[in-house]
Amino acid sequence: MYKRQAEWWRDFGSNELDALIDTALKSNRDLKIAAARLAQARALTDGAQADRRPQLGAVAGAQRGRETGIDPRAERSFAGLRASWEIDVFGRGALAIDAAEADAQAASQALRATQIALAADVATAYFELQTLAHRVALNRQAIAVAQRQVEVVRRKFDAGQATSVDVDRWQAELAQEQAVTEQLDGSRRIRHRQLAVLLGVSEAPALNLQASATAPQAPATLLPGELLERRPDVLRQARALDAALARVGVARREVYPRLQIEWANTRERTAIVGQSASPQVVLGYGVSLTLPILDGGRIRANIAVNEAKANEAMAEYEKAMLAALSDVEVALAQWSTSEASLAKWQQAQAAGETAAQRAERLFDAGLTDVSSVLDARRSYLRAQDAVSQAEGARWAAAVGLRRVFAGAV
């Protein structure tokens, strides 16, 4: 089930779209940034775990001169090993690890959210390009019809059957169709360039845009709890809240004493300058206990800061849950609206096609002129354009549903 959710775009049945999203998931820069942040969070978790383990290091040094208990003419040198281990009596270190692990889990959910958003953005751009390409082709047909209308009305004007107003009106119609086509073609080029950025490449690949995709399916019913468990943005905020609460615990435990075991094994040589002495092995071990007594309110301030951060994380978590539920309601409304709109426009397209066919038959029978045929064709092309836009809106709604459902619907 998780794999199906993770690769939900394959349900659309478009190999071209699959290839685009695969490229984006490998090369997109935002995704690489999110992956780098996850690597940082995991490394910080390793660091927090290392702080709880015994520490061992090499020590060496040399000195000459006065020091308490040593002749002022003495020189001293030493080298060896020193180890220390802070016993986590009150759970400070364990809570620090919990906070780091929660941060890593939050980063992992952030990466997953970025992957879902990236796949949805690529799919949206792809279907928009399909819609724009189809609309450009339809508008070019509309330009040809408008040009034919201008030719017809000019002949009627020359024959005294039309006025100059009719000529000007159809020339304006032609100019409008040409302007719309230029706008659509410009939007197509811009969207193609934006797709290249999403893919993480300098030049977007040439697209076929003719391969048919499987019609999007209606979403399945999800309970609110199941939805929230699928949303990585909600899970990310939940893990961020866990991390904040763990850090509150760490801050509060700063008032407790620290217990540390220390051990050292060195070879030391102490002698009067100019004299020789044999090095001696010095072994030392002990236990130290430290307890803050007066720190000027630093610990209390740190506790207050972390409690405020925990309250912020709680508010962010609640906001993410509300936003997730709202997103689903909006996406479902867009889906139902797009479905209803597409059905109505398809009816209009069917009626326009019938009208165009009847106009052609009447023209062939000599019962109407070519202007009526061209008017019917233009109406039919407009209906086709509306259907294309409605289909694009449905694809956008289908992708939006999968975005807010965090995978397959």
Side-chain angles (χ1 to χ4, degrees):
M1 182 64 179
Y2 175 77
K3 183 177 181 181
R4 182 171 179 266
Q5 291 179 4
E7 298 183 351
W8 51 264
W9 57 87
R10 300 193 187 278
D11 293 343
F12 291 144
S14 172
N15 293 330
E16 189 171 45
L17 175 61
D18 294 345
L20 291 174
I21 294 180
D22 288 343
T23 299
L25 292 176
K26 293 176 183 177
S27 305
N28 181 266
R29 299 304 185 267
D30 289 335
L31 205 57
K32 290 185 177 181
I33 292 171
R37 288 173 178 167
L38 175 58
Q40 294 173 37
R42 287 174 174 170
L44 290 173
T45 300
D46 293 339
Q49 292 173 342
D51 289 339
R52 294 192 67 196
R53 302 188 184 107
Q55 308 295 312
L56 178 66
V59 295
Q63 66 182 82
R64 174 184 293 181
R66 180 178 293 278
E67 185 176 321
T68 302
I70 299 179
D71 189 290
R73 297 171 298 165
E75 59 181 7
R76 175 173 173 262
S77 59
F78 62 93
L81 299 175
R82 182 171 296 168
S84 63
W85 178 37
E86 181 178 347
I87 302 176
D88 192 17
V89 178
F90 300 101
R92 182 190 298 107
L95 285 172
I97 292 175
D98 290 343
E101 288 178 345
D103 284 337
Q105 292 169 4
S108 177
Q109 293 297 333
L111 174 60
R112 182 168 163 246
T114 304
Q115 291 172 333
I116 292 172
L118 175 62
D121 288 340
V122 173
T124 299
Y126 179 77
F127 290 124
E128 283 184 5
L129 284 169
Q130 272 193 338
T131 300
L132 288 169
H134 190 208
R135 293 189 65 197
V136 167
L138 290 173
N139 270 71
R140 285 174 179 162
Q141 295 180 41
I143 288 175
V145 173
Q147 289 173 336
R148 179 63 176 155
Q149 285 276 24
V150 171
E151 294 173 0
V152 170
V153 77
R154 279 179 177 170
R155 285 200 297 269
K156 287 184 175 182
F157 175 75
D158 293 340
Q161 298 176 353
T163 66
S164 59
V165 174
D166 297 324
V167 176
D168 294 337
R169 180 171 67 85
W170 282 111
Q171 286 180 334
E173 290 281 346
L174 173 60
Q176 289 176 11
E177 294 292 353
Q178 291 171 335
V180 169
T181 303
E182 289 296 328
Q183 289 176 346
L184 291 174
D185 196 47
S187 298
R188 182 185 58 80
R189 292 194 301 269
I190 292 171
R191 203 69 178 104
H192 195 236
R193 182 57 195 161
Q194 292 172 341
L195 178 61
V197 176
L198 291 173
L199 298 181
V201 297
S202 58
E203 293 292 336
L207 300 176
N208 182 22
L209 296 177
Q210 301 299 322
S212 59
T214 304
Q217 301 298 315
T221 302
L222 277 182
L223 295 175
E226 184 181 356
L227 170 67
L228 296 178
E229 289 176 357
R230 293 176 61 174
R231 288 281 296 244
D233 54 339
V234 176
L235 297 177
R236 178 174 67 87
Q237 293 299 337
R239 300 292 82 77
L241 175 59
D242 292 341
L245 292 174
R247 288 192 171 89
V248 171
V250 173
R252 288 175 177 171
R253 281 161 177 75
E254 289 294 326
V255 300
Y256 299 151
R258 292 174 179 263
L259 181 62
Q260 185 165 320
I261 298 175
E262 297 179 348
W263 173 88
N265 187 356
T266 59
R267 292 176 62 86
E268 293 189 4
R269 176 183 175 277
T270 303
I272 303 300
V273 177
Q275 297 181 2
S276 61
S278 300
Q280 297 179 347
V281 175
V282 178
L283 177 65
Y285 53 88
V287 177
S288 64
L289 184 69
T290 59
L291 176 67
I293 297 176
L294 184 64
D295 67 349
R298 179 189 60 82
I299 294 178
R300 184 182 302 162
N302 190 39
I303 293 173
V305 168
N306 283 279
E307 287 178 343
K309 289 182 177 179
N311 291 332
E312 178 186 1
M314 174 61 77
E316 291 285 355
Y317 177 51
E318 293 172 348
K319 177 183 175 182
M321 288 193 295
L322 293 174
L325 297 174
S326 176
D327 288 347
V328 170
E329 291 180 1
V330 171
L332 288 172
Q334 290 175 337
W335 169 261
S336 60
T337 300
S338 66
E339 285 279 275
S341 176
L342 177 60
K344 295 298 183 183
W345 280 117
Q346 285 175 337
Q347 292 176 5
Q349 178 183 357
E353 183 179 13
T354 301
Q357 292 173 351
R358 288 177 177 174
E360 290 177 358
R361 286 197 296 268
L362 290 172
F363 176 74
D364 293 338
L367 300 177
T368 188
D369 60 4
V370 70
S371 295
S372 298
V373 176
L374 295 174
D375 283 339
R377 284 182 184 174
R378 292 186 74 245
S379 297
Y380 177 45
L381 288 171
R382 286 179 183 145
Q384 284 183 295
D385 183 66
V387 168
S388 180
Q389 294 183 62
E391 288 177 341
R394 186 179 65 165
W395 278 113
V399 174
L401 274 173
R402 284 151 179 81
R403 183 199 294 262
V404 301
F405 277 42
V409 298

